[in-house]
Amino acid sequence: MKITTARTLAMSVAAAALMTACSQSSNETETAQTAHEMDMQHGEAPDVDVADFVDNFTLIDQNGEAHELFYHADAPAIVIMTHGNGCPIVRGAVPDYQKIADQYEAQGVKFYMLNSNLQDTRDDVKAEAEEYGITLPVLIDENQLIGESLGVVRTAEVFVLDPAKGFKVVYHGPIDDRQSYERQKAEADNHYLTDTLDQVVAGEEVTVEGPALSPGCLVNFPERDAKDEHVNISYASDVAPILLDKCADCHAVGGIAPWAMTDYQTVRGWSPMMREVIRTDRMPPWNADPHVGNWKDDKSLTSDEIKTLIHWIEAGSPRGEDQTDPLQEADLHAPEWPLGEPDLILTLPAYDVPPNGIIDYSYPIVENPLTEDKWLKASTIKAGSREVVHHVLSGYMSEIPEDGRGSTGRWEFSTGGYAVGAESTVAEDDIGTPFPAGGAVGFQIHYTPVGKPVTDETQIGFYFHDEVPKYVSRSSVILDASIEIPPGEARHMETAYLEIPHDAILERVFPHAHYRGYAADMSIRYPDGTEELLISLPKYDFNWQRGYEFAEPVDVPAGSLLISNYIYDNSENNFANPDPDAEVTWGEQSHEEMLFTSFTFRWAEETSDNRKDAYQEELEGNRLFGAMDDNIDGKIELAEMKGMMGNRMKPAFPMLDQDKSGDLSKKEFSRINAVMKRMREQGGSAGQQ
């Protein structure tokens, strides 16, 4: 589609009125749009191609929730209205748009708004949405890539997409003709959007054509205006350095990625796929919200890096005048041990993975050959066959189990884990974990068949401090074995927390769920009741799990609550969902679910010569209460005893409720901890990932 000459002239005639109407916007809006408005006064308007079809994308809305376009492939239509803070046309259109959404959402039509304004931050958009009663998701297009490719010119434009036709744009224009610049009618004479939706829902061809002029405030797209210059983006100087910094660790020969970035020609061949996975936020596999927290070894792409890569690809992936090839010169090969040769390597028993079926978790042990105590600094797990090893956990046991089973309930501390993209666990130079001689290391291994028989022989490498470090590294977990996810529910939330009994310093978090995991976060509630969001994963990906280490450790005062919220997608729209009709509870297999946030920390008062082991026992004693207390009110009601764990405990409720108040205090509930502890020590699965 092309904005026609007639439309250009119509826009020019309306330019003066537009400037007056938009004078109610913020000074920032006026500044960003001045150049375009001056062009309009001189009879010029952006000559922009409106998309015929819309490629997939993922964006985060004003509330921090992720939305993927193709998730709604079964919807009869998807409607996107462009948004901009301070624009009077948008503010006037919102009530009409929301009314139409209320009318058609029951028929499966999905409605969004899209904000591509340079000057509007997520917080600003959220504030305006709350002020003007916008309840629909406003997708924040902070890199402007979606607005550029759609062909957005103004706010209050509407795009109607037909997923059945490959997400074809079947209508583009205003909602109706009720609004113009500085003027409104009581009722519209032409209802372009609803007429279009009636035809789409009925399975008819869309014959609706909007007017040449779609009123709204101009959106400034400086990179689109400079599109001809994108051929000058240099592969050697601009593109390759980004790939080396953010992609090459995985995309190396022998790395975990399916292809290696060996040279320009290889990257050029894969560049259309690179564009897709960047637009959909699948790559790089870093799922932390960039607006929440700061992280060590952050592998996410910056806004400038994203725009450089996408614009380079859309310009045809030019080589440029500089014929050097930094990727070829780097000769990328994945090291056998990324942290160097370990001080100790343990090899797990070989495991034969069948070609298909569901495999129970494996819990092998390997005896510890050390004859003297050490302090653990780091560990790396090297999967023998990456294609079948989904994850590995490990933990130290001072006693070698007679049954040879390394169940997690027997572990005294974690010795590292593995998930694709997260193979190593590394402490700071002055922090370590005591690693006694003797005993054994237990493992939990999750294998996933790949259609052929595979034999796996995984190894773990340990790195020890040369001298006793000053501080002691600790680990714990927030979990909830009482989760209960209803059939078909697209956004089901479960909550658990852990009360921290003494001052602590939080260093690293690792959220974990299964196929129905959609999003996860962790916040801290301080003793004074204030809360702070520490990490948010708007788009949890079961295939790419990793730990996130804070750039600056977080002080956790005694009495604080670490709160984990997980959102699960048990709907048929979740492509990975094994069974949308199932009621899902806690379980080890991927077709079951988990709420499991492990974290690494240290006690503020603890040093290697002043151990606080009793603090750790006190912390662990708080876990079950925080798992059951869903509404975080400091007491457990009968209704909160649900899921696999709750149903097992429910018969004991009358006995535990000693004051007959109808709920359980923390003191009353503590009587059950002794029972659960015995179960874990006997190899029960309540605390297993």
Side-chain angles (χ1 to χ4, degrees), residues 66-79:
H67 302 266
E68 182 182 1
L69 179 66
F70 282 15
Y71 177 87
H72 300 293
D74 294 333
I78 298 172
V79 187

Side-chain angles (χ1 to χ4, degrees), residues 177-446:
D177 62 357
R178 190 181 64 80
Q179 287 196 101
S180 183
Y181 301 108
E182 297 185 302
R183 291 171 176 80
Q184 294 188 26
K185 296 188 289 188
E187 297 291 339
D189 295 319
N190 294 285
H191 302 273
Y192 308 115
L193 176 55
T194 55
D195 289 348
T196 298
L197 292 178
D198 287 341
Q199 291 180 334
V200 173
V201 171
E204 302 172 358
E205 288 296 315
V206 175
T207 59
V208 179
E209 292 187 13
L213 175 63
S214 182
C217 298
L218 281 164
V219 181
N220 186 5
F221 287 97
E223 288 293 338
R224 186 172 65 192
D225 295 343
K227 183 178 180 180
D228 292 343
E229 299 176 14
H230 292 163
V231 295
N232 298 320
I233 297 174
S234 167
Y235 161 75
S237 301
D238 301 320
V239 173
I242 298 173
L243 303 181
L244 285 168
D245 184 39
K246 298 295 178 70
C247 309
D249 284 351
C250 295
H251 287 270
V253 175
I256 62 175
W259 62 280
M261 294 182 173
T262 52
D263 52 31
Y264 164 74
Q265 288 296 345
T266 302
V267 171
R268 184 186 181 201
W270 281 99
S271 62
M273 195 64 205
M274 291 169 59
R275 176 182 180 270
E276 177 180 308
V277 297
I278 293 172
R279 279 173 55 101
T280 54
D281 199 26
R282 303 207 306 269
M283 290 286 144
W286 182 275
N287 297 318
D289 187 335
H291 293 276
V292 181
N294 295 299
W295 310 99
K296 288 185 179 179
D297 196 29
D298 186 342
K299 290 299 184 183
S300 64
L301 296 172
T302 67
S303 179
D304 286 343
E305 289 170 339
I306 290 171
K307 288 184 284 189
T308 294
L309 291 175
I310 296 297
H311 290 144
W312 176 73
I313 293 168
E314 291 178 345
S317 307
R319 180 70 178 264
E321 295 181 0
D322 187 345
Q323 293 296 299
T324 60
D325 193 336
L327 290 178
Q328 190 173 50
E329 293 172 0
D331 191 24
L332 300 169
H333 286 77
E336 182 180 11
W337 295 99
L339 303 180
E341 187 68 18
D343 297 317
L344 172 65
I345 298 175
L346 301 182
T347 301
L348 281 66
Y351 190 96
D352 293 326
V353 181
N356 49 51
I358 296 173
I359 302 174
D360 290 336
Y361 280 26
S362 175
Y363 294 96
I365 66 168
V366 179
E367 293 188 18
N368 177 16
L370 293 176
T371 57
E372 60 181 26
D373 296 347
K374 299 285 187 179
W375 281 84
L376 182 63
K377 175 179 174 60
S379 65
T380 296
I381 294 179
K382 185 175 70 173
S385 178
R386 293 178 186 271
E387 58 186 335
V388 296
V389 179
H390 178 267
H391 78 253
V392 182
L393 300 177
S394 68
Y396 178 80
M397 302 175 292
S398 56
E399 300 292 335
I400 300 174
E402 292 183 3
D403 61 3
R405 182 177 171 87
S407 302
T408 56
R410 293 169 171 171
W411 299 355
E412 296 164 32
F413 58 87
S414 172
T415 55
Y418 164 90
V420 177
E423 295 93 349
S424 298
T425 304
V426 184
E428 295 294 326
D429 290 340
D430 57 351
I431 302 175
T433 302
F435 197 101
V441 178
F443 297 86
Q444 179 201 81
I445 308 180
H446 181 186

Side-chain angles (χ1 to χ4, degrees), residues 610-647:
N610 182 27
R611 298 281 297 274
K612 300 294 182 184
D613 295 337
Y615 287 8
Q616 195 73 12
E617 293 182 14
E618 193 175 349
L619 174 70
E620 306 301 326
N622 292 337
R623 178 177 296 121
L624 192 55
F625 190 87
M628 305 298 296
D629 183 17
D630 291 336
N631 59 7
I632 321 180
D633 65 352
K635 55 189 178 182
I636 296 177
E637 301 168 5
L638 185 61
E640 291 176 312
M641 286 192 164
K642 57 183 179 60
M644 180 196 74
M645 182 65 66
N647 290 329

Side-chain angles (χ1 to χ4, degrees), residues 542-621:
F542 179 64
N543 296 305
W544 291 99
Q545 304 179 54
R546 63 173 306 124
Y548 297 86
E549 186 174 358
F550 295 97
E552 294 294 334
V554 177
D555 290 332
V556 182
S560 298
L561 306 182
L562 295 181
I563 305 170
S564 285
N565 295 303
Y566 281 59
I567 297 175
Y568 302 93
D569 182 357
N570 198 18
S571 73
E572 59 183 10
N573 280 10
N574 177 2
F575 182 77
N577 192 350
D579 183 3
D581 296 324
E583 180 176 82
V584 185
T585 56
W586 173 278
E588 292 182 347
Q589 294 300 328
S590 300
H591 64 272
E592 299 166 316
E593 263 309 333
M594 288 192 176
L595 185 164
F596 191 103
T597 302
S598 60
F599 60 94
T600 304
F601 70 103
R602 63 182 179 87
W603 297 115
E605 299 175 0
E606 184 175 37
T607 59
S608 55
D609 57 1
N610 182 27
R611 298 281 297 274
K612 300 294 182 184
D613 295 337
Y615 287 8
Q616 195 73 12
E617 293 182 14
E618 193 175 349
L619 174 70
E620 306 301 326

Side-chain angles (χ1 to χ4, degrees), residues 32-187:
Q33 295 174 350
T34 296
H36 279 278
E37 290 168 359
M38 290 178 65
D39 287 343
M40 295 282 289
Q41 285 183 300
H42 289 86
E44 299 178 7
D47 189 21
V48 176
D49 286 324
V50 177
D52 291 316
F53 296 88
V54 181
D55 294 332
N56 197 15
F57 63 82
T58 296
L59 290 176
I60 298 175
D61 69 17
Q62 75 273 26
N63 298 313
E65 299 177 13
H67 302 266
E68 182 182 1
L69 179 66
F70 282 15
Y71 177 87
H72 300 293
D74 294 333
I78 298 172
V79 187
I80 301 173
M81 186 183 93
T82 54
H83 174 271
N85 276 11
C87 179
I89 301 295
V90 171
R91 290 172 175 175
V94 162
D96 296 337
Y97 189 59
Q98 295 232 164
K99 183 178 179 181
I100 294 170
D102 293 340
Q103 178 182 352
Y104 285 89
E105 279 190 324
Q107 301 178 63
V109 179
K110 304 303 297 184
F111 289 81
Y112 290 105
M113 303 182 80
L114 177 74
N115 186 303
S116 299
N117 274 353
L118 292 170
Q119 67 273 20
D120 293 346
T121 67
R122 187 195 297 179
D123 289 341
D124 292 339
V125 173
K126 182 175 182 178
E128 172 123 341
E130 291 174 351
E131 182 178 357
Y132 286 88
I134 299 174
T135 58
L136 295 169
V138 183
L139 307 180
I140 311 301
D141 183 24
E142 59 188 356
N143 298 316
Q144 294 196 306
L145 297 174
I146 310 309
E148 286 177 5
S149 60
L150 272 174
V152 171
V153 174
R154 296 177 179 273
T155 61
E157 293 180 340
V158 169
F159 297 79
V160 180
L161 318 182
D162 187 343
K165 296 182 177 180
F167 291 86
K168 181 180 180 180
V169 178
V170 295
Y171 172 77
H172 169 240
I175 294 175
D176 53 35
D177 62 357
R178 190 181 64 80
Q179 287 196 101
S180 183
Y181 301 108
E182 297 185 302
R183 291 171 176 80
Q184 294 188 26
K185 296 188 289 188
E187 297 291 339

